[in-house]
Amino acid sequence: SSWQIFRKVGLEFELLVSNSNRDEQEHLREDISSLRLRLGPRFRHKSGSTELFATIGMEAARLSNLVITTQPGCKYFSPEDDAPGNLCDFDRDIARKDSTFAIGPALSLGMRLKLSDRIYVGVRGQASVYAYSSAHDDLNFPVGGSVDLGYHLF
């Protein structure tokens, strides 16, 4: 949501919740969830029914545990199955990462097209760089995009 303070400058707040299910190849051994909060100034330029905007702010994120393998034997057996070690060594062949808290700068660029007085459609691209992470791993630089359908309340 955003609050327009001045004609070209506002304040934007986003709360993003996502869940990634196990993939078809079973590389992800468990679902992954994330909760991200973004806050920052929003700059906009309007021309007719089109609005271009950029938000530069901060993102705080909480990422769930991560369990990954590319070893085929580990995808079909569990530790309880007592699988032969040459098929899967559950200590060596499965990577586990604890849940993470991260914070860093975020950038969002987008465009909205006004369809009526109150309804708009938009597209947005966004990226972050985590300056601090409670876990030292390679999960950084989240990039995403969205297509929005919105209703202008005020």
Side-chain angles (χ1 to χ4, degrees):
S1 93
S2 61
W3 177 46
Q4 206 60 39
I5 301 170
F6 302 107
R7 193 168 73 94
K8 296 209 177 249
V9 180
L11 184 63
E12 185 164 282
F13 168 82
E14 283 186 280
L15 179 64
L16 306 144
V17 179
S18 66
N19 188 61
S20 296
N21 297 321
R22 292 170 65 164
D23 60 317
E24 189 175 301
Q25 291 79 28
E26 294 285 328
H27 294 317
L28 293 176
R29 302 302 298 147
E30 296 177 1
D31 294 353
I32 302 171
S33 299
S34 70
L35 175 67
R36 300 179 351 197
L37 172 70
R38 290 183 173 197
L39 179 66
R42 182 174 183 264
F43 305 95
R44 74 175 185 167
H45 173 73
K46 286 182 84 169
S47 177
S49 61
T50 303
E51 175 184 322
L52 302 173
F53 62 88
T55 303
I56 303 167
M58 293 297 289
E59 177 178 306
R62 161 81 170 65
L63 307 172
S64 68
N65 296 337
L66 183 62
V67 181
I68 300 174
T69 188
T70 56
Q71 179 61 264
C74 296
K75 297 176 184 183
Y76 301 106
F77 297 102
S78 68
E80 295 80 30
D81 293 331
D82 196 28
N86 63 340
L87 289 178
C88 178
D89 180 340
F90 289 97
D91 294 326
R92 184 191 69 222
D93 295 333
I94 295 181
R96 292 174 175 80
K97 307 224 183 227
D98 291 332
S99 63
T100 304
F101 171 77
I103 190 167
L107 172 67
S108 178
L109 301 172
M111 180 182 79
R112 286 184 178 170
L113 180 62
K114 192 175 180 180
L115 299 177
S116 71
D117 261 357
R118 298 260 186 219
I119 299 173
Y120 65 87
V121 65
V123 294
R124 172 191 303 249
Q126 48 203 20
S128 301
V129 177
Y130 295 142
Y132 167 79
S133 176
S134 62
H136 301 287
D137 56 32
D138 299 331
L139 295 176
N140 199 346
F141 310 110
V143 176
S146 64
V147 176
D148 309 320
L149 179 62
Y151 184 79
H152 189 92
L153 291 175
F154 305 105

